[in-house]
Amino acid sequence: MNRARIRIAQVNPRLGDLAHNLDLHLAEIEAARADGIQVLVFPELSLTGYFLKDQTAELAMNLEAAELQRLIGESGDLSICVGFVERSSSGAIYNAAAWLERGEVKHVHRKVHLVSYGMFDEGRDFAAGTGYRSFDSIHGRFGILICEDLWHMTGAYTYLLDEVDGLIVTSASPARGVAAEGGARGLRSARTWDRLAGAFATLTQSWLVFANRVGFEDGVAFGGGSAVYGPGGDTIAQLDEAALLDPGRLDATLDGATLRRARVATPLRRDERPWVLASELAARDTDGRRIR
Amino acid sequence: MSALDVQVDLVEALLLRFLREELGAAGLSRAVIGLSGGVDSAVSAALAARALGPDAVLGVLMPYRSSNPDSVGDARLLAADLGIETREIEISEMADAYFGVAQVEDPTRRGNVMARCRMTILYDLSVEWRGLVIGTSNKTEMLLGYSTQFGDGAHAVNPLGDLYKHQVFQLARHLGVRASIVEKPPSADLFEGQTDEDDLGFSYAHADAVLYSMVDQRWNREELLAAGHAPQVVDAIARRVVRNQYKRLPPVIAKLSERTINQDFRYLRDWHA
């Protein structure tokens, strides 16, 4: 990959207010361009807000929608990853993230692992995406994972096989867990994300960009804490502790040389044995249960 | 250290943002809070004063004839500590007018009427003050249903609803609520010598421990008994939680059409379009 100056826009979208949120995106794009940023990443469902319920279908848009076309027009050499509700040509509705650059839609990822437990009900409102496709941006090869997509190994594993330079993880993760037991510091939810992100950066030997939103929807806070991880799993950029829960911008520089060195030192992709998984899957039904 | 201890600085950071943002979503930046002189309303008021600024918070003291004078005294001192404006409106005439007409003697009924008188005043003053009524109900009393529906249970936003009583006390100390409020036994203050713990038949510490395991940790009855909780307390608490579910939900609507409010017409309060 080339050297790329990347920014996470840790924003607070207003629930269901497309016009407000489009303005929010345009302001971030203008600021990013002024600051020499090359890749600008927004959180999950950044154009619409998260707990949409019956608004999901009302706000679903195809790629020709005016709001997306406006953002596509702004992209140029600035690559933009934006979250939105996608309506496909068949009418299915997806929790999606689009990668925009050079005036076109380079890639759309549809969230595969919808979350439908506890406080979440995505399976009711969204269709599930069916795959993880990496793509070659002008700034490097990336794979997008939307929130729960990082809680399953499938996506990250696929992107490992594709030798991506970076995992782009967008999220609208609620802040929860304030217990002090055992000397805990910070949100339990944030600590879990930090462990997951560090582990997957390590296992894929790639950059990992974690863009989470902030703000409240009916009393539920989103936990922010956006961060960038290096291929060794170390956090290379994060917001100050006092700024974790507030709107903010987090910048980092990604480059190919660091990846190359990390992959020489620890050649995990080279030593991966995809045929082991292939033969395991060949002995199982489509639900993963062994039949041979 | 208790398993229920929270990180008070983190809780404060979340609750200040919660108050600012949820009031803002309603297009408001001011708050009205009934001050009883107890720890819950003290913590709600202290949070609101920090989140919105003392000038934006109105504390309303609404004693009844039989209220303990110390309650009003503590509420006045709290308001002075926080630097917030107060109104004192005695509800005796208002409540007695009805008690006389309807011959209400039952203490539970009388307590509920008083709580609803206070609700009426708070909602009226919220118009004058151009503020939102801030709740003071904690998770323990909401789960136990130890509150008056449409009385103290009525409010627009509630910063304390996910904090057990132990955690409210912890937050009160963190926020510097004066000792006279933090140290006195919690009381609904409907008659002399009344305490919450006598009413409930178990201590807050016990209720918190059982509810935390039952609700937050999803323990079943066998696991609660194995942890040493008395079966009669566990069962009494579990019954209260189930029986009072109605207080925690909006009224039941008879479904007739293809799309019914709160069934298949689903939007958050923070809905924008």
Side-chain angles (χ1 to χ4, degrees):
Chain A
M1 79 178 295
N2 305 320
R3 200 175 163 79
R5 190 95 183 122
I6 192 164
R7 169 174 292 174
I8 297 167
Q10 181 171 287
V11 290
N12 177 8
R14 186 187 289 173
L15 184 66
D17 191 341
L18 278 181
H20 172 92
N21 295 333
L22 178 62
D23 287 346
L24 183 66
H25 283 65
L26 293 172
E28 289 296 323
I29 289 167
E30 190 182 340
R33 186 163 282 125
D35 294 343
I37 296 296
Q38 294 161 296
V39 176
L40 178 62
V41 181
F42 289 94
E44 178 180 15
L45 294 176
S46 58
L47 262 183
T48 58
Y50 181 73
F51 286 107
L52 292 164
K53 298 189 175 222
D54 281 5
Q55 281 191 291
T56 310
E58 295 162 12
L59 297 177
M61 59 180 77
N62 60 31
L63 298 178
E64 280 69 50
E67 292 84 2
L68 279 176
Q69 286 300 316
R70 181 73 201 278
L71 295 176
I72 292 166
E74 293 285 333
S75 58
D77 284 345
L78 173 67
S79 302
I80 304 165
C81 183
V82 56
F84 70 111
V85 180
E86 185 194 6
R87 189 191 304 277
S88 74
S89 54
S90 71
I93 295 172
Y94 297 97
N95 179 341
W99 188 280
L100 317 175
E101 66 184 29
R102 296 219 164 134
E104 56 186 46
V105 179
K106 184 76 195 172
H107 180 72
V108 175
H109 175 66
R110 295 167 172 171
K111 188 172 188 176
V112 175
H113 289 99
L114 300 175
V115 48
S116 301
Y117 55 79
M119 62 192 296
F120 307 104
D121 205 7
E122 290 181 10
R124 173 174 175 148
D125 297 317
F126 293 107
T130 53
Y132 293 95
R133 305 274 179 277
S134 60
F135 58 97
D136 288 312
S137 151
I138 52 177
H139 299 295
R141 179 174 296 175
F142 295 105
I144 299 174
L145 299 146
I146 303 177
C147 203
E148 192 81 356
D149 284 339
L150 192 71
W151 288 64
H152 296 262
M153 288 175 271
T154 323
Y157 187 77
T158 305
Y159 293 147
L160 165 74
L161 298 182
D162 286 351
E163 301 181 71
V164 298
D165 300 310
L167 302 178
I168 306 294
V169 182
T170 64
S171 186
S173 170
R176 52 214 195 277
V178 296
E181 203 173 18
R185 290 292 305 156
L187 292 161
R188 197 275 307 148
S189 51
R191 289 195 302 279
T192 306
W193 273 109
D194 184 56
R195 282 199 297 273
L196 271 179
F200 276 113
T202 307
L203 294 174
T204 58
Q205 301 259 288
S206 66
W207 302 103
L208 190 151
V209 176
F210 174 62
N212 193 21
R213 63 161 292 188
V214 291
F216 284 80
E217 289 179 0
D218 273 20
V220 176
F222 295 94
S226 297
V228 180
Y229 299 79
D234 296 330
T235 307
I236 62 155
Q238 65 186 137
L239 296 160
D240 292 341
E241 192 176 338
L244 292 179
L245 293 167
D246 293 319
R249 295 165 181 157
L250 179 67
D251 297 351
T253 301
L254 314 186
D255 70 272
T258 302
L259 295 180
R260 177 173 48 77
R261 285 191 294 270
R263 291 170 186 186
V264 168
T266 317
L268 296 182
R269 172 63 187 94
R270 184 199 70 186
D271 296 345
E272 183 53 38
R273 301 286 182 264
W275 61 86
V276 175
L277 181 60
S279 69
E280 285 294 331
L281 290 175
R284 291 158 195 266
D285 64 17
T286 51
D287 199 35
R289 291 176 212 289
R290 185 174 284 281
I291 52 176
R292 280 196 281 280
Chain B
M1 177 175 244
S2 155
L4 271 84
D5 281 351
V6 291
Q7 301 170 52
V8 282
D9 49 353
L10 179 59
V11 169
E12 183 194 348
L14 284 165
L15 294 181
L16 298 189
R17 286 165 177 79
F18 163 81
L19 285 170
R20 286 183 203 119
E21 197 162 325
E22 294 295 1
L23 263 62
L28 296 167
S29 57
R30 288 151 67 89
V32 179
I33 305 178
L35 300 183
S36 69
V39 70
D40 298 311
S41 59
V43 170
S44 265
L47 288 167
R50 287 194 188 194
L52 313 170
D55 293 347
V57 181
L58 177 66
V60 189
L61 288 61
M62 297 169 284
Y64 181 71
R65 265 190 291 108
S66 62
S67 297
N68 184 338
D70 291 347
S71 301
V72 171
D74 280 334
R76 283 189 195 127
L77 292 170
L78 171 84
D81 291 343
L82 298 176
I84 64 173
E85 193 175 320
T86 58
R87 303 278 165 81
E88 292 194 29
I89 300 173
E90 204 181 295
I91 61 165
S92 305
E93 280 183 42
M94 187 179 178
D96 285 348
Y98 174 69
F99 292 154
V101 172
Q103 313 248 304
V104 182
E105 304 290 340
D106 175 59
T108 303
R109 285 178 61 194
R110 290 172 67 90
N112 284 337
V113 169
M114 290 179 215
R116 291 183 186 123
C117 286
R118 294 181 177 117
M119 176 277 294
T120 303
I121 292 166
L122 288 174
Y123 271 84
D124 177 60
L125 289 177
S126 76
V127 178
E128 186 210 305
W129 186 254
R130 286 176 290 112
L132 228 46
V133 177
I134 307 298
T136 63
S137 304
N138 61 63
K139 192 173 185 173
T140 309
E141 69 183 32
M142 287 179 73
L143 285 170
L144 295 174
Y146 189 64
S147 64
T148 297
Q149 193 182 27
F150 312 124
D152 52 315
H155 40 258
V157 299
N158 180 1
L160 306 188
D162 207 12
L163 291 169
Y164 289 107
K165 191 79 179 183
H166 170 85
Q167 298 162 339
V168 173
F169 278 117
Q170 218 196 328
L171 197 54
R173 285 185 212 99
H174 167 72
L175 295 169
V177 172
R178 59 175 45 243
S180 61
I181 293 175
V182 179
E183 283 163 13
K184 69 183 170 190
S187 169
D189 196 17
L190 300 174
F191 52 85
E192 198 183 336
Q194 184 188 24
T195 69
D196 292 359
E197 296 186 341
D198 286 346
D199 284 359
L200 291 166
F202 40 76
S203 70
Y204 271 119
H206 206 160
D208 281 354
V210 171
L211 288 169
Y212 175 75
S213 300
M214 187 187 286
V215 175
D216 294 44
Q217 310 281 77
R218 301 174 197 260
W219 287 13
N220 62 28
R221 185 172 184 275
E222 286 66 41
E223 290 166 326
L224 289 164
L225 299 189
H229 295 295
Q232 58 273 27
V233 174
V234 169
D235 293 341
I237 288 172
R239 266 197 310 275
R240 287 198 72 124
V241 171
V242 173
R243 203 174 55 218
N244 287 295
Q245 176 70 351
Y246 75 94
K247 290 188 184 177
R248 298 185 287 265
L249 291 176
V252 179
I253 295 171
K255 182 170 176 68
L256 298 169
S257 74
E258 301 287 354
R259 202 171 180 208
T260 306
I261 295 163
N262 293 339
Q263 295 288 355
D264 32 28
F265 178 83
R266 306 172 306 134
Y267 298 88
L268 295 200
R269 287 183 187 225
D270 290 349
W271 178 17
H272 293 84

